[in-house]
Amino acid sequence: RYVPSLSAYVVSYAVGGSEFGAIVDTGSPFLLVPSYCDESKWGCYRPSSSRPAPGLAPTYERFDGNEGMVEWRVAPFTFLFNGLDVISSSSNDAYGPVADSSSFSRDQSLFPPLMTFGVMSESLMDGPGGIFLGLVRDTNSNIRPSFLGQSSVSAFSVDLRPDAKPKSLILSRSNQDWIQGDSIRLVRDLQKFGDPTIHYVAEAKYISVNGSPIASSDKKKTKKTYVIFDTGVSGMIISHDLFEERYNTARANKEKSLWGQVDISFSTEQGSTVTLSANKPLTTPFSSDRPWKKRFNAHLIVIGLAFLDGLKTSIDIDKGRLWIEGRD
């Protein structure tokens, strides 16, 4: 369901019998709960309903500009059957929202009996911080287990189209024909820059704002522009150099809007072009020109719901393919 105060879509689940709400996030990897009890917000954490994860010490994490400790524990996990958040078995291979929960069967579950999850300290919840259900499956071995990495999921879809009733998150253990026909090829290039998670990333073909191109000052094309698809972000986050380039262009052209109509185009595997657009997306620069501490010789953009709301985003994780449905 969409929560206006968060500018995000939220799904409900239970960990160790306690109920939580979390933002559907294609840009992070973990299953998380808050360290406090507040049923009016994210949910009520009860330590007695879980136990420490064997061999996994607490870690110091940074989420959305906040810093703090995360304790790692294990407990049973299930999605909840309540209204728009109902998730059930719609076939032998897929889980997604249905009107009737009677078709659910535990022996068809995509998840093991116990799931590793993180308990976030309150300092990680400050300001814009919140609880996220991370859908990035693949990570480096030196970070904690991801949510989907503990499952048998090989593909998923986030369906936010206007005619999708209800809006849905569909998880599948089979990627056969998950994306039929053409697709955008996902790349794993960010690992060489130190990214510990394998984000859902594609290389941009062309970017324009109010009709003016950006990422065009590099005439020799030595810098690629990578785009992360992230439903946990409301607008857009962009590299410092692109932000400055856009500011200088808008000032020179005496434009009234710095980030008006934003269009980002991608090449498909069959040679076509797919363009995602947003009108006046909330745009901020990255806090550092080294997102993962290593020298970053590329441009980076994170696009969120300003570009993806109203569309169906399907990702075949195993084959590294993405497709968008619902565009005009």
Side-chain angles (χ1 to χ4, degrees), residues 241-306:
D241 52 355
L242 293 184
F243 195 94
E244 291 177 3
E245 178 187 340
R246 174 58 198 151
Y247 176 82
N248 292 332
T249 298
R251 186 172 182 179
N253 294 340
K254 298 181 179 180
E255 298 178 35
K256 294 182 179 180
S257 176
L258 181 59
W259 302 99
Q261 178 68 23
V262 181
D263 300 300
I264 304 178
S265 298
F266 305 87
S267 295
T268 70
E269 293 180 305
Q270 297 180 10
S272 299
T273 298
V274 170
T275 300
L276 297 179
S277 302
N279 184 37
K280 296 182 179 180
L282 177 63
T283 303
T284 56
F286 281 98
S287 58
S288 170
D289 58 0
R290 296 190 178 195
W292 300 286
K293 297 185 178 179
K294 289 188 178 181
R295 182 172 178 269
F296 192 74
N297 187 30
H299 304 302
L300 184 63
I301 300 175
V302 178
I303 60 172
L305 290 180

Side-chain angles (χ1 to χ4, degrees), residues 2-312:
Y2 184 75
V3 180
S5 61
L6 299 173
S7 298
Y9 286 91
V10 173
V11 68
S12 298
Y13 51 76
V15 177
S18 298
E19 299 181 5
F20 300 95
I23 295 169
V24 177
D25 185 15
T26 59
S28 69
F30 300 125
L31 170 64
L32 299 168
V33 303
S35 59
Y36 55 79
C37 182
D38 186 347
E39 294 182 345
S40 66
K41 294 186 69 175
W42 301 106
C44 187
Y45 169 63
R46 297 177 177 86
S48 60
S49 64
S50 62
R51 58 182 174 83
L56 298 182
T59 56
Y60 190 80
E61 304 287 349
R62 294 182 180 183
F63 300 141
D64 284 341
N66 295 327
E67 301 180 9
M69 298 301 297
V70 176
E71 180 186 3
W72 299 95
R73 302 180 68 85
V74 294
F77 166 87
T78 185
F79 285 106
L80 295 181
F81 305 115
N82 63 348
L84 297 182
D85 292 329
V86 169
I87 291 190
S88 179
S89 175
S90 57
S91 73
N92 287 336
D93 293 323
Y95 277 63
V98 294
D100 182 359
S101 64
S102 60
S103 64
F104 178 75
S105 173
R106 288 296 295 177
D107 62 4
Q108 293 179 326
S109 177
L110 297 171
F111 307 102
L114 293 176
M115 292 280 286
T116 298
F117 66 98
V119 182
M120 299 173 63
S121 61
E122 289 195 49
S123 61
L124 285 167
M125 306 287 293
D126 290 342
I131 297 298
F132 294 84
L133 178 66
L135 298 177
V136 173
R137 187 190 70 180
D138 298 334
T139 67
N140 289 351
S141 59
N142 61 343
I143 72 171
R144 295 301 184 245
S146 71
F147 170 59
L148 291 186
Q150 301 174 72
S151 75
S152 56
V153 171
S154 61
F156 69 87
S157 294
V158 180
D159 193 349
L160 306 179
R161 292 175 295 182
D163 58 350
K165 300 185 183 299
K167 305 293 190 293
S168 63
L169 166 63
I170 304 174
L171 308 175
S172 176
R173 66 168 51 90
S174 172
N175 65 343
Q176 184 176 0
D177 297 325
W178 194 252
I179 297 177
Q180 299 184 23
D182 208 358
S183 70
I184 298 170
R185 173 61 61 182
L186 298 176
V187 299
R188 297 193 171 197
D189 295 11
L190 298 187
Q191 276 57 61
K192 64 186 177 184
F193 300 115
D195 186 358
T197 62
I198 301 178
H199 282 97
Y200 304 121
V201 181
E203 184 180 340
K205 176 183 179 181
Y206 183 81
I207 308 165
S208 69
V209 182
N210 298 343
S212 298
I214 63 172
S216 60
S217 59
D218 186 6
K219 302 300 183 182
K220 295 182 180 180
K221 301 296 182 183
T222 56
K223 281 190 176 182
K224 295 181 178 181
T225 300
Y226 296 108
V227 178
I228 296 176
F229 296 80
D230 187 346
T231 57
V233 170
S234 58
M236 180 170 66
I237 309 171
I238 194 166
S239 297
H240 270 278
D241 52 355
L242 293 184
F243 195 94
E244 291 177 3
E245 178 187 340
R246 174 58 198 151
Y247 176 82
N248 292 332
T249 298
R251 186 172 182 179
N253 294 340
K254 298 181 179 180
E255 298 178 35
K256 294 182 179 180
S257 176
L258 181 59
W259 302 99
Q261 178 68 23
V262 181
D263 300 300
I264 304 178
S265 298
F266 305 87
S267 295
T268 70
E269 293 180 305
Q270 297 180 10
S272 299
T273 298
V274 170
T275 300
L276 297 179
S277 302
N279 184 37
K280 296 182 179 180
L282 177 63
T283 303
T284 56
F286 281 98
S287 58
S288 170
D289 58 0
R290 296 190 178 195
W292 300 286
K293 297 185 178 179
K294 289 188 178 181
R295 182 172 178 269
F296 192 74
N297 187 30
H299 304 302
L300 184 63
I301 300 175
V302 178
I303 60 172
L305 290 180
F307 295 85
L308 302 174
D309 199 7
L311 305 174
K312 179 181 179 181

